[in-house]
Amino acid sequence: MNFILIAVIVLGAIALVAAVVLYIISKKFAVDEDPRLETVTEALPGANCGGCGFPGCGGMADALVKGADAGSIEGLFCPVGGQEVMEQVADILGMAVAKTDPMVAVVRCHGTCENRPRVAEYNGMRTCAAIHSTGAGETACGFGCLGCGDCVEACGFDAIHMNPDTGLPEVDDDKCTACGACVKACPRNIIELRKKGSKNRRIYVRCVNKDKGAVALKACKVACIGCGKCLKACAFDAITIDNNLSYIDYNKCKMCRKCVDACPTHAIVALNFPIRKAAPATNEKVESGRQNKDSKKEEEKQ
């Protein structure tokens, strides 16, 4: 009985000493949390999507507070909250925030079943990552969409779905937050974040095939063939060609649509533009029409 009592007393003394030591250490090495950190975290949407480049909203809030202490939060942006949330955060931190154009995910592939016929059948795990690891996939294009919907699974905002008719993913502009999750999920890198554009109008090359023109066109009827006609048509130096593939810089593009008209394979797409009106007849054509009518009338009289 005495042994039990002694053991209890010894253990109690050890616990008491350990508690005192821990208390002293916690006070000595305590780190005071900046009260702004909690306020900024609450202002952020809490999606924890990683679209800002940090592991979550907590990491973003910490970066914003540290940036404010350093004198600038430039380059830090929450794609989910957008400009409105960033302005709230800037007010909390007493900083100015630059206006940022909204972005949206864009699928740069138009290899529908009609445009890009299947040449093989894949039997295995139905994910884009799995098919990509085996090679070109079920078509002759080793660059285009694989159609398994890895991007759909990655999206936390229900903003991207597979079209059953085309077999391609489609982005809902209104739901897309430009978090970039679909971009990271695509093993073929066909999804890109681009400026949403005024009135949701965008012009881009809907192809990522880097094969030479003849090979690319054989695999897909609407592939970019790197012919350079769009490059010659652009007066704003917005188009470059690299590895047989054209690319449009959305910061330089003036939405003139001349490149769209110049593309022989219709690989360049213009979204949400009004339908163009038919060009009016020229004076020469009108005059020619009048002369034809007059000549017909004379022939009828004779």
Side-chain angles (χ1 to χ4, degrees), residues 4 29 45 62 94 99 104 127 144 146 153 159 166 174 182 219 263 274:
I4 296 175
F29 296 100
D62 183 60
K99 187 175 181 180
V104 68
T127 67
L146 292 163
E153 294 294 327
T166 64
D174 296 327
C182 58
C263 181

Side-chain angles (χ1 to χ4, degrees), residues 154-168:
C155 181
F157 304 95
D158 193 38
I160 186 167
H161 299 93
M162 298 301 296
N163 185 317
D165 296 326
T166 64
L168 297 173

Side-chain angles (χ1 to χ4, degrees), residues 134-174:
T134 64
E138 296 181 316
T139 72
C141 177
F143 298 87
C145 177
L146 292 163
C148 291
D150 287 18
C151 52
V152 178
E153 294 294 327
C155 181
F157 304 95
D158 193 38
I160 186 167
H161 299 93
M162 298 301 296
N163 185 317
D165 296 326
T166 64
L168 297 173
E170 293 182 351
V171 179
D172 187 330
D173 293 353
D174 296 327

Side-chain angles (χ1 to χ4, degrees), residues 72-255:
S72 173
I73 58 173
E74 185 178 354
L76 299 174
F77 185 77
C78 172
V80 178
Q83 191 68 26
E84 183 180 351
V85 167
M86 292 308 300
E87 288 176 356
Q88 293 177 8
V89 171
D91 289 340
I92 294 170
L93 299 174
M95 303 293 294
V97 60
K99 187 175 181 180
T100 305
D101 294 322
M103 307 288 282
V104 68
V106 166
V107 179
R108 293 186 57 204
C109 177
H110 196 44
T112 62
C113 299
E114 180 182 353
N115 294 330
R116 185 180 48 143
R118 269 48 180 172
V119 296
E121 183 178 351
Y122 170 81
N123 290 316
M125 186 181 296
R126 298 301 297 184
T127 67
C128 298
I131 297 179
H132 179 66
S133 65
T134 64
E138 296 181 316
T139 72
C141 177
F143 298 87
C145 177
L146 292 163
C148 291
D150 287 18
C151 52
V152 178
E153 294 294 327
C155 181
F157 304 95
D158 193 38
I160 186 167
H161 299 93
M162 298 301 296
N163 185 317
D165 296 326
T166 64
L168 297 173
E170 293 182 351
V171 179
D172 187 330
D173 293 353
D174 296 327
K175 291 182 179 180
C176 180
T177 62
C179 69
C182 58
V183 178
K184 297 175 183 176
C186 180
R188 290 282 175 88
N189 299 314
I190 68 164
I191 304 180
E192 177 190 13
L193 295 181
R194 295 180 70 89
K195 279 186 180 179
K196 201 168 188 178
S198 176
K199 298 180 181 180
N200 281 350
R201 294 175 182 173
R202 297 181 293 282
I203 297 176
Y204 59 95
V205 180
R206 193 157 53 179
C207 179
V208 294
N209 195 325
K210 295 179 180 179
D211 286 331
K212 291 185 178 180
V215 178
L217 199 58
K218 186 177 180 180
C220 181
K221 292 191 293 186
V222 292
C224 174
I225 57 177
C227 63
K229 290 184 178 180
C230 56
L231 181 65
K232 294 177 182 177
C234 182
F236 306 102
D237 195 31
I239 299 178
T240 55
I241 297 179
D242 185 33
N243 287 329
N244 309 306
L245 180 65
S246 296
Y247 181 79
I248 300 175
D249 186 340
Y250 53 77
N251 290 311
K252 294 181 179 180
C253 179
K254 303 300 181 183
M255 305 291 183

